[in-house]
Amino acid sequence: MVMIIICFLAPWLAMFLRGKIFQGILCIILHLTLIGWIPATIWALIVTQREKSA
C-alpha cells in the first residue's frame, strides 16, 4: 500500500527503491513535465506490481 502511494507521489523514487536506477532517471525526466507525470506513474505502478507478483 505504501509503495502505491509512492508511485503516485514520486514514481522515480519507486523505481529507485526497486533497484532500477536507469529507469528511475528516465522516470524523473518524465515526471518533470506535467504530461509525462501520468505515464511515469503508470510505469511505476506496473513495475511495482510485477515485482510484487514475482
Side-chain angles (χ1 to χ4, degrees):
M1 181 69 181
V2 174
M3 214 46 192
I4 292 173
I5 295 170
I6 291 173
C7 287
F8 280 106
L9 298 176
W12 50 271
L13 181 60
M15 295 288 196
F16 286 146
L17 290 174
R18 293 291 178 191
K20 302 190 180 297
I21 304 301
F22 183 70
Q23 291 178 354
I25 293 169
L26 289 175
C27 215
I28 287 174
I29 294 168
L30 274 176
H31 196 252
L32 290 176
T33 65
L34 185 60
I35 296 171
W37 179 79
I38 295 170
T41 301
I42 293 170
W43 185 19
L45 285 169
I46 290 170
V47 168
T48 301
Q49 294 302 319
R50 281 188 187 163
E51 293 284 326
K52 205 185 255 189
S53 66

